[in-house]
Amino acid sequence: MNCKYCKSENVVKHGMRAGLQRYICKYCNHRFHDNQNNLPRMRNNSTVIVTSLNLYYSGLSMRKTREQIENIYGKSISQSTIHYWVHKYATLVKDYVTSLQPKLSGKYHHDETEIKVDGEGRYFWETIDQDTRFIVAHLLTENRTSEEAIKVFKQALEKQRPIAFFTDGSFSYNDAFNKVFWSRYSASKVEWVRRVGIRARETNQIIERKHSTFKMRYKVMRGLKNDESSKELLDGYVTDYNFCRKHQSIKKTPAQEAGINVNGWKELIENAHAHKINKEIQIKKEVEPIKVKSK
Ligand SMILES: [Zn+2]
């Protein structure tokens, strides 16, 4: 058996409690029952949590999600609990999903959309990989200047260096493009493709179609109340899009298409817990002085 928290195999029996076998993990020191149905530190059955996330990200409101959960499981869960789960898990898995390395086609398509947060205009920037449909960068911003473009382009670059970068016809990306992607070596040159005229509309349509489900979803997003909570929700949507939704044309999630075998919220949450604990242990180990035994 693997540790429920950090996934280590270094697990031993640790007495009984309430008729249940308890275990202790020698790696992270967490104690737990052999209760694989519950996510670490959660009282509610993980199926209920995962179903709530799936329903919410498929476009239901928090209220409708609550109603569906009651219909399916006969369990009454408050709207604020669902709200709490959506935000908690979007935040928890972010660090973990950022650490993953998808195998991408390197043909990135970039654009921004105007969205409203509490009635105020904001920009949602996103860069998507052409063949896998994986969203490699996203950001919610107040302004639309080079500074923001640089942040998004850097995020995309950190995933994988593109071979081609598609934008609309405008030259407003000049500065950001040159700062982030310029290289003196021809082998790492990034081709910048600015779509103009009729051909642009065609190329645009291909990527728009590939991407339309996600766009449709966040355009009708509810609960964009303030910037901080909107950022968390959009992170959650991007994670859901990349890892949990099968793309109709490829019959896979973008992550699966990019060679990452993580399927759905349950696995994401479990892996994210393990990722976090392992990171904490790593940090402790590096800080603690190494004890040298004297002979
Ligand atoms: Zn452990």
Side-chain angles (χ1 to χ4, degrees), residues 198-240:
I198 289 169
R199 228 191 112 229
R201 251 172 279 142
E202 281 165 11
T203 351
N204 217 349
Q205 266 174 15
I206 297 167
I207 203 72
E208 284 286 308
R209 249 204 316 277
K210 282 172 181 167
H211 202 197
S212 61
T213 26
F214 177 68
K215 286 208 163 168
M216 257 160 48
R217 220 169 272 146
Y218 74 64
K219 272 189 179 152
V220 298
M221 267 176 75
R222 285 157 273 229
L224 293 183
K225 296 276 153 51
N226 62 61
D227 286 326
E228 210 39 57
S229 112
S230 305
K231 272 177 191 158
E232 286 176 12
L233 279 183
L234 286 162
D235 286 346
Y237 269 88
V238 169
T239 299
D240 186 77

Side-chain angles (χ1 to χ4, degrees), residues 39-241:
L39 295 166
R41 291 198 195 90
M42 297 305 286
R43 269 184 306 125
N44 277 291
N45 192 302
S46 62
T47 323
V48 174
I49 299 175
V50 169
T51 310
S52 302
L53 297 178
N54 281 330
L55 290 171
Y56 177 72
Y57 286 119
S58 70
L60 294 193
S61 66
M62 301 260 179
R63 185 176 60 83
K64 286 266 181 218
T65 302
R66 193 200 72 77
E67 285 171 11
Q68 284 301 312
I69 290 296
E70 190 156 1
N71 289 341
I72 302 167
Y73 298 102
K75 253 187 159 181
S76 179
I77 280 158
S78 71
Q79 233 168 277
S80 64
T81 301
I82 291 167
H83 185 270
Y84 168 75
W85 287 341
V86 166
H87 284 270
K88 176 194 162 110
Y89 290 116
T91 312
L92 174 78
V93 303
K94 189 171 187 193
D95 196 35
Y96 165 66
V97 295
T98 309
S99 75
L100 296 170
Q101 274 300 335
K103 289 189 199 78
L104 306 161
S105 67
K107 287 168 261 171
Y108 293 170
H109 293 251
H110 174 82
D111 67 6
E112 304 97 62
T113 319
E114 230 186 308
I115 60 174
K116 289 254 187 285
V117 175
D118 199 21
E120 301 279 321
R122 292 287 183 269
Y123 297 100
F124 187 60
W125 306 64
E126 55 191 327
T127 310
I128 184 168
D129 181 56
Q130 182 178 299
D131 293 355
T132 61
R133 284 76 152 167
F134 199 91
I135 297 176
V136 291
H138 71 278
L139 197 66
L140 179 70
T141 66
E142 217 172 297
N143 302 311
R144 190 190 205 168
T145 69
S146 276
E147 207 180 307
E148 286 82 24
I150 287 170
K151 279 188 198 157
V152 184
F153 292 3
K154 275 189 177 159
Q155 235 188 78
L157 181 67
E158 271 166 31
K159 275 285 151 216
Q160 186 183 303
R161 189 172 187 86
I163 49 173
F165 201 79
F166 298 78
T167 65
D168 65 22
S170 89
F171 283 81
S172 62
Y173 304 113
N174 261 5
D175 186 38
F177 184 87
N178 289 329
K179 273 203 175 110
V180 178
F181 295 126
W182 187 85
S183 169
R184 75 169 77 206
Y185 307 106
S186 57
S188 47
K189 276 250 153 57
V190 179
E191 186 194 357
W192 182 8
V193 186
R194 262 173 296 210
R195 300 168 305 207
V196 279
I198 289 169
R199 228 191 112 229
R201 251 172 279 142
E202 281 165 11
T203 351
N204 217 349
Q205 266 174 15
I206 297 167
I207 203 72
E208 284 286 308
R209 249 204 316 277
K210 282 172 181 167
H211 202 197
S212 61
T213 26
F214 177 68
K215 286 208 163 168
M216 257 160 48
R217 220 169 272 146
Y218 74 64
K219 272 189 179 152
V220 298
M221 267 176 75
R222 285 157 273 229
L224 293 183
K225 296 276 153 51
N226 62 61
D227 286 326
E228 210 39 57
S229 112
S230 305
K231 272 177 191 158
E232 286 176 12
L233 279 183
L234 286 162
D235 286 346
Y237 269 88
V238 169
T239 299
D240 186 77
Y241 167 90

Side-chain angles (χ1 to χ4, degrees), residues 3 5-6 8 25 28:
C3 169
Y5 291 87
C6 72
S8 158
C25 171
C28 73

Side-chain angles (χ1 to χ4, degrees), residues 2-11 24-30 32 277-278 281:
N2 290 67
C3 169
K4 171 171 173 171
Y5 291 87
C6 72
K7 308 238 160 168
S8 158
E9 287 178 345
N10 199 353
V11 165
I24 184 162
C25 171
K26 297 260 207 170
Y27 186 65
C28 73
N29 272 323
H30 276 101
F32 57 95
I277 288 166
N278 279 299
I281 291 172

